[in-house]
Amino acid sequence: MAAPSPLHVEDAWFDLVPLALIEFNEHGRVLRANSALSAMLGYAIPPGSALSDTPQALQRLCGWDSPLTLLALGPEDGPIQNQVIQPRQASSPVHLRSQIWTQAQPNQDAPRRFLCAIKDSIPVTAAPAAPTPISTITSDADAAPLPDQAQLLHELSTILESTPAGIAYFRDNVLLRCNRRFERMLGLTPGSMAGQGLEVLLGADPRIDRVVTETATELMKSEQFESELEIVIPGNTTRWYTLSVRRIGLSNDPLEVIAVLSDISRIRTQQAQLESLGRDRDLMFTLSGVGIAFVKDGLIQSANPALSHLIGEDAANLTGRPLISVYALDVDNATDPDITGMLRSLGHWQGERALRNRKGRVLWADVSLRLVDPQRPEEGFIASFVNVDDRHRAEQRLTLQADRTRAILDSVFVGIVTLDEHGIAWMNRSARRMFAGDLADFVGQPLATVATPDLDHPFRLTDYLDDLLDGQSHTFECQVVGRDGRVFWVVGNAVVTLGEGNRRHITYALLDIDRRREAEAQSAEAQARLQRIIEMAPMAIHLIDAKQLTLVQANQAASSYMNIEPAKALGKPPEALYDADRARLLRADMQLALDSGQTVHREYSRPHKGAQQFWDVNYLPLYREGEVADQLLVVASDITEQRAAEQARLDAAIAQREMLVKEVHHRIKNNLQGVAGLLQQIAMRKPEVAPAISEVVGQVQAIAQVYGLQVGAGGPLRLKAVVEAIAASVQRTFGRPITLDMAGTHAGDWQLPEAESIPIALCLNELLTNAHKHGAGTSAIVCTLQSSEQGVSILIRGPGQLPPGFNVDRVPGGVSGLGLVRALLPRRSAKLALKQEGTEVLTQVDLTPPGINLIPPPHVLGEPTGQQIALWPQ
């Protein structure tokens, strides 16, 4: 059994109050009723039941018999009071009074809720009366309405009759009551419809039948339905009404509705007039060949087909787009803020703007903007677009062609001067530079203003121009005087052309001969200077033809590089100048430089006078940008003395370094031995720390032995020497003999890198020290150096006993003993193992490259060394 739902405080108050209470909504649906009401009625009213199913007396007490009055009650109004006289058996009738309130709702869309309180008032008698039976409400069909209710109905009827809207109340198919306005609006006789069936109303007009059928269908789905109704009353014009029908309650049995008619004939007439005006406007808007758009807040509200065709988009797609989006802002120089400011101040604006159609093509249009209301710019403006793209592009092409012609003439090095009947009309940049002045200094003046005083100067004698036909030219040579006083020679052509109105125009093309001659002289001088520099340069300079690789030019210094005089080597390929190997190498390097287009650097050596001669050679392709190299410049420098000096400095630096390293190693060894001696003295004075100090002394002695070996060595230490030195040091420290054996063919050929020497020495010292400490007796400790071609194994054998389950991999790292050994041994190239063999413990250290390396065999003179050096072929 499910647990009862918890009782809220509000519900508890509602149920425990002694006053009979019932709560319902505007649809007549009971929300809740308390136990006092159940006791008064004699039965319970479950939540969700309809008031229309309860006795009429209860409906009257709750005000449901007049729903219009109930719906007019607001939360701020006083309660509606009702009274019902209920007869009782064998007793006087009971007077039941009720008060109804509307509850305020936080959500206005929620159904309205009403609260009704009911109490009875029994007349008090003098004699004691019998126990009053329960006043059960069963039916009050005979109960008469109270005077206050009749007054309320009278007031409500007065309000309904004075309203301009027609209102009617229907229950099922019967019109219970309506105001006269409702009847007059439908063309019916006032006062004739109350209590009539719906078929009387339907027979008045077929359109009413259609609307009522639609209304009944829609009310089955929703609570409210609105429609428009057209009524033709005989003798009157056609009237239009809005019909609003609202259902009362949720139950359809009986179906109760309230219908409201409102006259909208005037509105419909105005709408018809506006639609007619709109059609006329749309007709002009649509048929116009000019693109028109209505713009408001910067957005296109509507656009006609002409604009749609101009832009290449549908009018529906243009609607809602910003007007600025149809402009080609990357081409158009007009600024929208300036246009908007002028439009607001003057009320209109006109100009040419660039548009971009759907395909991305730019077209020009004559745009005219005009405000709809100059007093209210926010109401928007009308924009019209006339296609002037062809005219604009033609003008633009003419302007562009003229600008291009001027730009081309300005870019040439020939001075161009154009004359008309007034004198000089235009000069290009070269002519202005030639005459040393600006265009404004010469416009309108004769060309003779820059002529010399000679009377027969071509700029003064212009009779020959009269004999020239259109397009013919005349060549001349003369001197010209610039504004800066410079006198120079020019060669020129004079051409006659016909312009507008067959007017003759003369165009002079002038070339400064002095500058060309000066440039030629400077070029020849520079060539001679460069030739002298090349001849006197200490480097060997060659100029090689890129196609045949033949010598084109060479300086005198190149004779030592080629071993032949330059004059005899001209026109010859490398094969004719050098031996086969050398020629093949040089040709390959030359071809590499030409193919890559980059400088190629090489260093060659060759035997010369019983020694090696070194040459530093650079190959540089000579080419113009975007073209293939036609020549190859070869520059060679003899760097033999430089290489000898560098080798001497290198040998001296190596010798000095070796001497310094030996001295440093010797001093480190002496200092470490001094530290060991001091530690031994401390151990003698303090016996309690003697074992620890003895271990430290052994480690210091091991490091000192390594530095001592490095004093006499010229490179990496040999492993055999390190093992012998450490064994001797441990033997001296503890006085226990150590036997050292060598096994294998390469025992003395393995060497230690400098970085591994001290760690290996310390590890050997710790292992030999452990063999002494943990091996009882005075028998000799055996140390074997067993080598092979793959690596070296150091075997230390001595008396001792390993603990049960001993594993060297479990020994933690530390600063002494096996922990130090594990920490110092290189992990990549060394392995440590300890195992028990009878009464002896065998310690094995395996060393492999790169921790150790074999000494390379000595180089035999005449055999290859394995190093590749770029030498001159011999």
Side-chain angles (χ1 to χ4, degrees):
M1 183 176 180
S5 59
L7 188 63
H8 296 285
V9 176
E10 183 182 357
D11 294 336
W13 169 86
F14 189 88
D15 192 62
L16 296 177
V17 69
L19 188 63
L21 299 176
I22 180 172
E23 186 179 6
F24 55 95
N25 60 15
E26 63 180 358
H27 303 300
R29 189 69 60 185
V30 176
L31 302 177
R32 57 181 175 174
N34 63 355
S35 56
L37 180 64
S38 300
M40 177 182 290
L41 300 178
Y43 53 89
I45 300 179
S49 58
L51 279 178
S52 58
D53 298 334
T54 61
Q56 292 186 5
L58 183 59
Q59 293 184 36
R60 184 175 299 174
L61 289 172
C62 294
W64 197 245
D65 60 333
S66 55
L68 294 179
T69 304
L70 192 63
L71 294 175
L73 181 64
E76 69 282 356
D77 299 332
I80 297 177
Q81 297 184 6
N82 291 330
Q83 182 176 355
V84 173
I85 302 175
Q86 180 67 31
R88 293 188 303 182
Q89 297 178 356
S91 177
S92 60
V94 63
H95 294 262
L96 298 178
R97 297 180 180 274
S98 65
Q99 289 183 332
I100 307 167
W101 294 269
T102 296
Q103 301 182 19
Q105 295 291 333
N107 185 4
Q108 296 181 357
D109 296 333
R112 299 174 62 186
R113 301 172 63 177
F114 302 91
L115 179 63
C116 176
I118 304 173
K119 61 181 178 179
D120 57 348
S121 57
I122 302 175
V124 181
T125 58
T132 305
I134 298 175
S135 58
T136 302
I137 299 177
T138 57
S139 174
D140 62 345
D142 298 331
L146 296 178
D148 54 352
Q149 189 175 6
Q151 180 65 26
L152 182 61
L153 289 176
H154 174 72
E155 295 174 357
L156 182 59
S157 299
T158 303
I159 294 173
L160 292 177
E161 291 298 333
S162 60
T163 182
I167 302 175
Y169 170 57
F170 292 86
R171 179 180 293 173
D172 283 339
N173 293 329
V174 178
L175 190 150
L176 296 182
R177 58 179 64 93
C178 67
N179 61 355
R180 286 180 169 77
R181 177 65 176 172
F182 182 82
E183 295 172 327
R184 285 196 298 268
M185 292 175 73
L186 296 179
L188 303 175
T189 303
S192 63
M193 290 302 299
Q196 295 291 333
L198 191 60
E199 61 277 2
V200 178
L201 181 61
L202 298 180
D205 196 313
R207 287 165 288 198
I208 299 177
D209 189 1
R210 177 182 55 81
V211 172
V212 171
T213 303
E214 293 178 358
T215 303
T217 303
E218 293 296 330
L219 286 180
M220 293 299 177
K221 304 176 183 179
S222 60
E223 299 178 1
Q224 189 171 357
F225 174 74
E226 292 185 358
S227 178
E228 290 188 358
L229 180 62
E230 181 184 11
I231 297 296
V232 179
I233 302 176
N236 295 322
T237 59
T238 302
R239 310 297 296 178
W240 282 91
Y241 304 122
T242 58
L243 174 62
S244 177
V245 182
R246 182 182 181 89
R247 188 176 64 187
I248 301 175
L250 298 177
S251 176
N252 294 330
D253 188 16
L255 178 62
E256 296 180 279
V257 297
I258 294 178
V260 179
L261 284 176
S262 300
D263 193 346
I264 58 170
S265 300
R266 182 179 179 182
I267 298 176
R268 290 299 298 264
T269 302
Q270 294 176 349
Q271 288 180 349
Q273 295 174 353
L274 290 176
E275 289 176 358
S276 177
L277 294 175
R279 284 192 300 270
D280 296 341
R281 184 204 63 183
D282 292 341
L283 189 60
M284 293 185 293
F285 189 71
T286 303
L287 298 180
S288 174
V290 177
I292 302 174
F294 172 56
V295 183
K296 185 176 182 181
D297 297 330
L299 302 178
I300 299 176
Q301 305 299 322
S302 60
N304 69 339
L307 179 59
S308 176
H309 177 72
L310 183 64
I311 302 298
E313 292 192 15
D314 295 336
N317 296 334
L318 289 175
T319 302
R321 280 181 51 182
L323 179 63
I324 194 174
S325 65
V326 304
Y327 296 136
L329 300 179
D330 54 337
V331 179
D332 195 352
N333 295 325
T335 58
D336 287 278
D338 296 341
I339 295 175
T340 303
M342 187 178 298
L343 180 63
R344 288 179 173 271
S345 60
L346 302 179
H348 61 86
W349 179 88
Q350 186 173 2
E352 289 188 1
R353 300 208 62 177
L355 308 181
R356 191 180 301 278
N357 62 10
R358 186 176 182 181
K359 297 181 180 179
R361 179 174 175 269
V362 177
L363 54 91
W364 287 87
D366 184 25
V367 182
S368 177
L369 308 179
R370 184 171 297 275
L371 291 177
V372 175
D373 186 354
Q375 304 300 327
R376 302 180 62 186
E378 64 274 6
E379 292 296 331
F381 57 89
I382 302 297
S384 62
F385 301 84
V386 179
N387 190 353
V388 294
D389 188 64
D390 294 338
R391 175 179 59 79
H392 183 88
R393 293 187 182 277
E395 293 176 354
Q396 190 177 26
R397 280 194 295 269
L398 291 176
T399 304
L400 182 61
Q401 185 64 31
D403 293 340
R404 285 178 178 175
T405 303
R406 294 288 179 92
I408 293 173
L409 294 178
D410 268 336
S411 64
V412 299
F413 295 104
V414 178
I416 306 296
V417 183
T418 302
L419 285 82
D420 54 15
E421 65 271 13
H422 302 293
I424 297 176
W426 182 79
M427 298 164 49
N428 70 341
R429 185 182 294 109
S430 297
R432 295 194 297 269
R433 190 184 302 113
M434 187 184 300
F435 295 160
D438 295 331
L439 179 61
D441 300 334
F442 297 97
V443 171
Q445 297 188 17
L447 189 58
T449 188
V450 294
T452 58
D454 298 337
L455 297 178
D456 57 348
H457 196 279
F459 291 170
R460 288 193 173 90
L461 300 177
T462 59
D463 297 339
Y464 60 90
L465 298 176
D466 298 334
D467 300 332
L468 294 178
L469 299 178
D470 184 18
Q472 290 184 340
S473 63
H474 172 74
T475 304
F476 59 88
E477 185 174 334
C478 63
Q479 280 187 315
V480 176
V481 181
R483 285 293 182 94
D484 55 353
R486 186 175 71 94
V487 180
F488 54 95
W489 283 88
V490 297
V491 59
N493 282 341
V495 180
V496 176
T497 57
L498 297 179
E500 296 180 359
N502 291 329
R503 295 179 180 178
R504 295 167 60 88
H505 294 273
I506 306 173
T507 301
Y508 287 88
L510 307 174
L511 179 63
D512 190 344
I513 303 177
D514 280 357
R515 294 191 176 185
R516 183 184 66 185
R517 292 177 178 177
E518 183 181 354
E520 291 176 353
Q522 292 177 353
S523 177
E525 183 180 355
Q527 186 71 20
R529 188 184 299 113
L530 180 60
Q531 185 65 30
R532 290 194 298 271
I533 292 174
I534 291 175
E535 290 296 334
M536 299 183 62
M539 299 176 293
I541 301 176
H542 310 71
L543 195 61
I544 307 296
D545 181 70
K547 294 182 179 180
Q548 304 295 331
L549 295 184
T550 56
L551 182 64
V552 177
Q553 186 180 357
N555 63 350
Q556 191 62 36
S559 59
S560 58
Y561 179 79
M562 299 183 297
N563 286 335
I564 189 175
E565 287 296 326
K568 299 179 181 180
L570 296 178
K572 295 182 179 181
E575 288 78 9
L577 300 176
Y578 311 101
D579 57 76
D581 294 337
R582 183 177 177 185
R584 183 170 56 254
L585 179 60
L586 292 179
R587 177 176 285 274
D589 291 341
M590 291 177 185
Q591 196 63 44
L592 176 62
L594 291 173
D595 293 341
S596 64
Q598 303 293 331
T599 302
V600 175
H601 177 261
R602 290 288 185 269
E603 185 175 322
Y604 304 122
S605 64
R606 65 168 182 172
H608 180 69
K609 296 181 181 180
Q612 289 290 328
Q613 187 180 26
F614 295 92
W615 287 89
D616 184 82
V617 183
N618 287 283
Y619 299 94
L620 176 63
L622 303 179
Y623 58 90
R624 296 178 181 177
E625 185 175 358
E627 298 182 1
V628 180
D630 55 353
Q631 290 181 335
L632 180 67
L633 179 65
V634 182
V635 180
S637 302
D638 187 357
I639 58 172
T640 304
E641 296 181 359
Q642 179 182 350
R643 287 289 181 268
E646 290 178 355
Q647 186 63 36
R649 288 195 298 270
L650 179 61
D651 294 342
I654 292 175
Q656 184 179 8
R657 177 184 177 279
E658 290 180 352
M659 182 183 66
L660 291 176
V661 169
K662 289 180 180 181
E663 180 65 22
V664 170
H665 288 168
H666 181 70
R667 294 190 179 185
I668 290 175
K669 175 189 175 185
N670 292 342
N671 291 336
L672 289 175
Q673 288 179 344
V675 171
L678 292 175
L679 291 174
Q680 288 176 346
Q681 293 178 9
I682 294 173
M684 294 174 60
R685 293 196 304 269
K686 296 182 179 181
E688 64 277 8
V689 296
I693 292 180
S694 176
E695 184 176 351
V696 175
V697 169
Q699 296 175 355
V700 173
Q701 288 288 358
I703 299 174
Q705 292 298 326
V706 173
Y707 280 104
L709 293 174
Q710 289 178 345
V711 171
L717 297 179
R718 298 200 178 192
L719 178 61
K720 177 182 176 182
V722 174
V723 174
E724 291 175 348
I726 297 302
S729 176
V730 174
Q731 184 173 344
R732 287 194 303 271
T733 301
F734 297 105
R736 188 167 184 173
I738 299 176
T739 303
L740 185 62
D741 295 334
M742 301 293 169
T745 57
H746 300 283
D749 296 338
W750 289 95
Q751 60 185 6
L752 288 169
E754 185 177 354
E756 306 292 347
S757 300
I758 292 179
I760 296 298
L762 288 175
C763 291
L764 290 176
N765 180 76
E766 288 296 331
L767 293 175
L768 290 173
T769 301
N770 283 349
H772 165 70
K773 289 182 178 181
H774 301 289
T778 59
S779 59
I781 300 173
V782 179
C783 181
T784 303
L785 184 63
Q786 184 175 354
S787 65
S788 65
E789 293 183 357
Q790 288 75 29
V792 176
S793 296
I794 302 175
L795 307 176
I796 301 175
R797 189 184 304 274
Q801 183 67 39
L802 292 176
F806 176 79
N807 188 351
V808 71
D809 294 333
R810 298 179 181 177
V811 176
V815 296
S816 63
L818 294 178
L820 179 62
V821 174
R822 289 198 61 198
L824 292 178
L825 279 179
R827 299 180 182 273
R828 294 185 304 164
S829 57
K831 293 183 180 180
L832 174 65
L834 281 81
K835 61 181 178 179
Q836 187 74 38
E837 292 186 352
T839 61
E840 293 181 337
V841 176
L842 176 62
T843 304
Q844 181 175 347
V845 179
D846 297 328
L847 299 176
T848 57
I852 57 175
N853 299 310
L854 275 174
I855 299 175
H859 174 63
V860 179
L861 188 61
E863 293 185 358
T865 62
Q867 298 178 352
Q868 184 177 1
I869 303 175
L871 297 176
W872 195 282
Q874 300 181 9

